[in-house]
Amino acid sequence: MASDVSSLYDLKSQLAVQQPLYPGQGDWVLPFMYPPFFAWILTPLAWLSFPTAYSVMTVGNLLLLVGGLMLLVHRLGLCADQSRCLYLSVLCNFGVSYCLLEGQTSILVFFLLVLFVTANLDDHDIAAGLWAALLSLKPQLLLMPAVVLIGQRRWRAVLVFAVSVSILGLFSFILVGELGAKAFFNLLGQAASGDDALRINPERMHNLRALAYFALPLTWNEYAWWIGTLALLALLIHFGRNRPASRPQQLVLWLKIFAATMLVTPHFHDHDLTLMIIPTAVIIKLAPSPVPASVLLLLLLAGLLPLLRRTIGISLVPVMPLLFLVALWIPIEKFLPDPLQRITGPEASPNKDR
């Protein structure tokens, strides 16, 4: 596809390329679900043999994973004990292993989210707007940074975000043309609707949609999913409008923002559980030091339970959406050390970008 970007979202063309590589796949095609600009970034991998490209992708993912962890440890001010707990939780995160083995891009998204969250916490508006725009490589995650920036009235960040997304959109349109752009949005619509032809398998995800598909009969699950999504979107907007003064309260708010985002995201598969590293780091930061064994055990179990669900079968209750719902409604502040001032960390730097 590197030589013919116009066929990037043509499923017949994709199938013609994939069938020789995977003779047993039949008429099923793995669609390219990313925007055209990201395909252009990945083009150099097409010049390599498959084993070499896979190796490059794996090394790149490992570097981004390490870089993201170092940023979290530094910006959250994690002590040695907390850092060790974070590293252990990453080793037990099924999404990380899945992402590395399949050469997925969720680790890149994790890295961009770390940059966005830390820039937001430190009041670096230009950086926050830029990193938020780059998250458009995963369109389903673009809503959260937009809601947060607009809700907090960070107008400079909103301007940078809007201009950057427009530039990426224009570049993408130039790459694939009008027909390619229409095919891309049509593909996103098919994925959001859970089209069986694409084998999206929404019941195997880790979001509100999976919970609705598991708990309700077929005639009601779509209605429940849309009603619940609208309610959670309203809650996400409410969270996005708040900005507590203290760093611990800001971190609590980010936990809830992440929980709402993961629940409403229409496409959140196993490899996307890599993004759970960020709320895990926040929980470790908010916990007493040294981190209690009970907290660490719960975090490790949360990382491993999706593996159990995939190993045994999809009939098990989706655990992660339930945990996200709990994180939304439990008053986490009551479980924090008292007083909150005990939790130390890097103070928000003066806003140099506004």
Side-chain angles (χ1 to χ4, degrees):
M1 295 299 161
S3 59
D4 184 14
V5 292
S6 63
S7 62
L8 195 60
Y9 305 105
D10 182 352
L11 297 184
K12 291 182 179 179
S13 299
Q14 292 282 348
L15 183 61
V17 173
Q18 293 176 24
Q19 274 187 331
L21 298 174
Y22 309 102
Q25 78 175 33
D27 60 353
W28 173 69
V29 58
L30 179 64
F32 185 80
M33 302 294 296
Y34 300 96
F37 77 84
F38 191 57
W40 180 79
I41 293 174
L42 294 176
T43 297
L45 292 177
W47 303 335
L48 308 174
S49 65
F50 183 81
T52 304
Y54 177 79
S55 300
V56 171
M57 191 72 178
T58 302
V59 171
N61 273 334
L62 285 171
L63 291 174
L64 289 169
L65 179 62
V66 172
L69 289 173
M70 291 177 65
L71 277 171
L72 282 174
V73 169
H74 174 65
R75 299 312 303 150
L76 294 182
L78 301 185
C79 66
D81 173 69
Q82 292 170 328
S83 300
R84 285 191 293 268
C85 291
L86 177 60
Y87 300 148
L88 182 58
S89 71
V90 171
L91 290 175
C92 294
N93 185 316
F94 173 58
V96 174
S97 302
Y98 192 95
C99 188
L100 288 171
L101 288 173
E102 289 213 338
Q104 296 283 352
T105 60
S106 295
I107 293 179
L108 171 58
V109 177
F110 152 73
F111 185 73
L112 291 173
L113 272 173
V114 171
L115 291 171
F116 170 70
V117 173
T118 54
N120 183 276
L121 287 171
D122 293 339
D123 293 332
H124 293 160
D125 284 354
I126 292 178
L130 178 60
W131 301 131
L134 290 176
L135 283 169
S136 59
L137 71 91
K138 277 268 191 180
Q140 62 267 35
L141 292 177
L142 202 56
L143 177 65
M144 181 267 281
V147 166
V148 170
L149 295 178
I150 294 173
Q152 294 180 354
R153 295 178 177 84
R154 296 175 175 269
W155 302 124
R156 180 170 292 188
V158 171
L159 178 61
V160 173
F161 170 76
V163 171
S164 300
V165 168
S166 299
I167 291 173
L168 291 173
L170 178 61
F171 180 56
S172 295
F173 184 82
I174 293 172
L175 285 174
V176 299
E178 182 180 355
L179 292 179
K182 288 181 178 179
F184 170 64
F185 286 109
N186 180 57
L187 190 61
L188 289 185
Q190 287 181 265
S193 65
D195 193 331
D196 291 337
L198 300 180
R199 299 191 187 180
I200 297 298
N201 298 320
E203 69 278 3
R204 291 176 56 175
M205 296 187 191
H206 303 276
N207 50 16
L208 183 65
R209 187 180 197 176
L211 200 57
Y213 273 58
F214 177 85
L216 299 172
L218 186 62
T219 53
W220 293 101
N221 55 29
E222 287 287 337
Y223 295 106
W225 172 46
W226 280 107
I227 292 171
T229 296
L230 291 175
L232 286 168
L233 284 175
L235 199 60
L236 180 59
I237 292 171
H238 170 70
F239 291 150
R241 295 176 62 187
N242 296 329
R243 181 167 171 79
S246 71
R247 178 59 63 94
Q249 296 290 350
Q250 290 174 19
L251 294 179
V252 169
L253 184 62
W254 272 107
L255 276 179
K256 296 181 181 295
I257 289 173
F258 263 93
T261 301
M262 299 305 103
L263 281 168
V264 301
T265 298
H267 192 91
F268 196 72
H269 272 303
D270 291 332
H271 51 85
D272 294 314
L273 291 171
T274 301
L275 306 185
M276 292 306 299
I277 296 174
I278 300 175
T280 297
V282 171
I283 291 171
I284 290 173
K285 175 62 182 176
L286 294 173
S289 184
V291 178
S294 57
V295 173
L296 179 58
L297 180 61
L298 286 173
L299 292 174
L300 299 184
L301 285 175
L304 291 172
L305 279 174
L307 172 61
L308 179 66
R309 183 167 177 250
R310 172 171 276 269
T311 303
I312 294 178
I314 62 175
S315 60
L316 290 178
V317 61
V319 177
M320 296 308 294
L322 291 176
L323 294 180
F324 295 150
L325 285 172
V326 169
L328 279 179
W329 302 114
I330 282 187
I332 303 172
E333 296 85 344
K334 292 184 178 180
F335 299 92
L336 299 181
D338 188 29
L340 286 175
Q341 284 73 17
R342 277 194 215 167
I343 304 176
T344 59
E347 296 296 329
S349 58
N351 188 350
K352 299 177 181 178
D353 294 334
R354 284 187 181 177

